[in-house]
Amino acid sequence: MLDSQMKKILICAVPFSDNLGDGVIAASLAHIAGLKYPQARVEFLDIAGRLGFEEENLRGGGAFRLFAKLPSLIRSVIVFLYCLKGYFLGWRKNWKAAVDDADLIVIGGGQLFCDVALNFPAKLFLLSRLLRGKKVVILSVGVTAKWSFLGRFLVGRFLKNARPAFYATRDQESASNLHNYFRIPRSDIQVVPDPALICADAFSEELSPEKNWDIGICVSSLDALVMNSEYESSNSTQSAKFFATLAESLRAEGKRVLYFTNGASEDNKVLEEISSASDAPKSIFLVPRHPDELVALISACSCIVAHRLHANIVAYGLNIPSIGMNWDKKVESFFELTGRKRYLFDLSPRVEKLGTSVLGLLDDRHPDRKALDALRSQVVAGIHALI
């Protein structure tokens, strides 16, 4: 399509998720699209029905803990019925208005092709009912290898309805999964790394000029991570105790420590548990509310430690060293992509060993800027070729 004809690009994902890594992806995608089509409007459609940030959800509270204990089939039925209700009571009207005048529909990035209680399969299927006849591309998506029969069926219907013009996954593992589970010819699938790798450009005005903290610890609910994990044998531990012990060991070495989260409700709950304890460490606790705040606070750290994929991706994109902890194949794939598997630990490693590695990385950090620049160029060129 000629540049003069491209008036509106609609990015469909979960840009307003409380897990702000998704918002970083969306903003980065919009930035890249704007480089090619500076005159086009880039808008977002959140397939979870959100219209903005800070909308309430059930995760992190008692209802979520009860939901997590239900049999998988019952959880799937509840989620599917919830999506149907949302679609017919409001989502359909809003989505149709957003889709109708779009010249290009972008599905991506993030782990949209995954099946946790039919969550994304149901939403993608319902969205696809409105995409017939539109130009659709799939960009930089993650694709899991853990599928239920119904999940595969719904995503298969999404692909049949949407008829994407191009397919791009964010890593080789996802490309193989898209081919193996959904019969997309492997030759039709390109690999374009995560758009958040260019976050330094997309959020250039938000970057901190100072390193206010030596180490940022990204707090996560390990139970929630395990529930969403592709690994069958992941074992969690006491989240609050794990992170508090790590912070204390680093503070004992005289380091300035920041506790933060990616914004997810279940992670914020763990952070609150740490900060409200009677023996709470004398550290800073920050909860970002928007993607620019997440990028800004990571940019103010000399090093971070994180389970969350996009805390690690943002840090890498900002040329800040990070230690990752592995709970899902997508985390492992990113550290493989960047040649940094030596900095990837298990889900809940021994704090002594982890702390020693963090201190070593902090004292001897030599990020490979050439590798980062090459990946950034690959992201921009790959996306431009498909839109």
Side-chain angles (χ1 to χ4, degrees):
M1 184 175 290
L2 297 176
D3 289 14
S4 60
Q5 296 176 309
M6 184 71 75
K7 294 182 173 60
K8 176 180 170 180
I9 300 170
L10 185 66
I11 297 174
C12 301
V14 281
F16 303 128
S17 169
D18 60 349
N19 185 348
L20 298 173
D22 293 306
V24 175
I25 297 171
S28 299
L29 257 178
H31 177 82
I32 295 169
L35 294 176
K36 182 171 183 179
Y37 300 110
Q39 82 293 338
R41 300 191 330 270
V42 181
E43 297 182 4
F44 302 117
L45 185 156
D46 192 307
I47 66 172
R50 305 180 191 91
L51 299 177
F53 291 104
E54 300 181 39
E55 293 189 17
E56 294 294 327
N57 64 67
L58 297 177
R59 300 201 322 275
F64 175 74
R65 290 192 292 273
L66 177 62
F67 176 80
K69 293 179 181 179
L70 294 174
S72 60
L73 180 59
I74 295 177
R75 281 190 279 131
S76 296
V77 170
I78 291 172
V79 169
F80 189 74
L81 292 176
Y82 169 82
C83 291
L84 279 179
K85 176 184 175 183
Y87 179 76
F88 286 111
L89 292 185
W91 296 358
R92 185 182 185 279
K93 179 181 178 181
N94 294 333
W95 291 1
K96 189 174 187 304
V99 166
D100 277 352
D101 65 341
D103 299 299
L104 175 66
I105 309 292
V106 174
I107 308 294
Q111 190 87 338
L112 294 181
F113 282 41
C114 71
D115 183 7
V116 179
L118 296 183
N119 184 28
F120 282 137
K123 291 165 180 173
L124 288 170
F125 164 69
L126 292 170
L127 174 65
S128 73
R129 291 163 55 88
L130 308 175
L131 299 183
R132 295 184 180 98
K134 306 297 292 189
K135 182 180 180 182
V136 178
V137 297
I138 292 176
L139 291 183
S140 302
V141 294
V143 185
T144 185
K146 188 177 180 181
W147 292 94
S148 66
F149 172 80
L150 284 175
R152 288 179 64 181
F153 173 78
L154 290 171
V155 172
R157 295 302 302 177
F158 158 76
L159 294 173
K160 185 174 182 179
N161 289 338
R163 296 189 179 278
F166 299 108
Y167 298 87
T169 62
R170 66 185 177 193
D171 53 49
Q172 295 287 350
E173 185 81 14
S174 292
S176 296
N177 291 337
L178 187 60
H179 167 68
N180 293 334
Y181 291 98
F182 300 102
R183 302 182 184 277
I184 306 300
R186 185 62 183 84
S187 59
D188 290 348
I189 306 171
Q190 301 187 46
V191 175
V192 179
D194 198 293
L197 286 163
I198 64 95
C199 63
D201 293 337
F203 295 90
S204 58
E205 295 183 0
E206 284 77 25
L207 303 183
S208 172
E210 304 291 338
K211 296 298 183 186
N212 299 319
W213 299 284
D214 298 312
I215 301 152
I217 297 178
C218 183
V219 173
S220 300
S221 166
L222 304 190
D223 289 331
L225 294 182
V226 167
M227 190 179 80
N228 289 279
S229 176
E230 187 176 328
Y231 297 144
E232 297 292 340
S233 58
S234 293
N235 295 311
S236 67
T237 188
Q238 291 180 293
S239 302
K241 181 179 179 181
F242 172 77
F243 291 110
T245 303
L246 174 62
E248 280 302 290
S249 70
L250 295 171
R251 288 186 67 251
E253 298 292 330
K255 303 304 179 184
R256 298 169 299 165
V257 176
L258 165 71
Y259 286 94
F260 72 98
T261 72
N262 261 30
S265 298
E266 61 270 31
D267 298 349
N268 296 344
K269 186 81 172 178
V270 177
L271 190 73
E272 181 183 356
E273 183 181 347
I274 299 171
S275 63
S276 62
S278 58
D279 58 344
K282 296 177 181 179
S283 299
I284 304 297
F285 298 82
L286 293 180
V287 176
R289 299 298 181 185
H290 297 89
D292 57 345
E293 295 176 9
L294 175 64
V295 176
L297 69 84
I298 291 178
S299 74
C301 299
S302 295
C303 173
I304 74 160
V305 184
H307 292 81
R308 288 289 186 181
L309 174 62
H310 280 88
N312 284 291
I313 290 178
V314 168
Y316 186 78
L318 299 178
N319 215 30
I320 293 170
S322 72
I323 295 285
M325 286 164 284
N326 192 18
W327 58 275
D328 189 73
K329 184 64 181 178
K330 63 186 182 183
V331 180
E332 183 179 357
S333 292
F334 175 70
F335 276 80
E336 287 177 347
L337 174 70
T338 55
R340 303 180 66 253
K341 282 201 70 174
R342 64 188 181 280
Y343 300 120
L344 183 62
F345 285 75
D346 293 334
L347 175 78
S348 52
R350 287 177 47 241
V351 167
E352 296 82 3
K353 183 178 180 181
L354 182 61
T356 298
S357 294
V358 172
L359 293 172
L361 184 61
L362 187 63
D363 293 337
D364 184 29
R365 53 184 186 275
H366 297 288
D368 187 350
R369 183 74 201 194
K370 290 183 179 180
L372 171 58
D373 289 343
L375 278 176
R376 283 163 47 88
S377 297
Q378 184 180 346
V379 169
V380 174
I383 291 174
H384 282 178
L386 299 179
I387 65 173

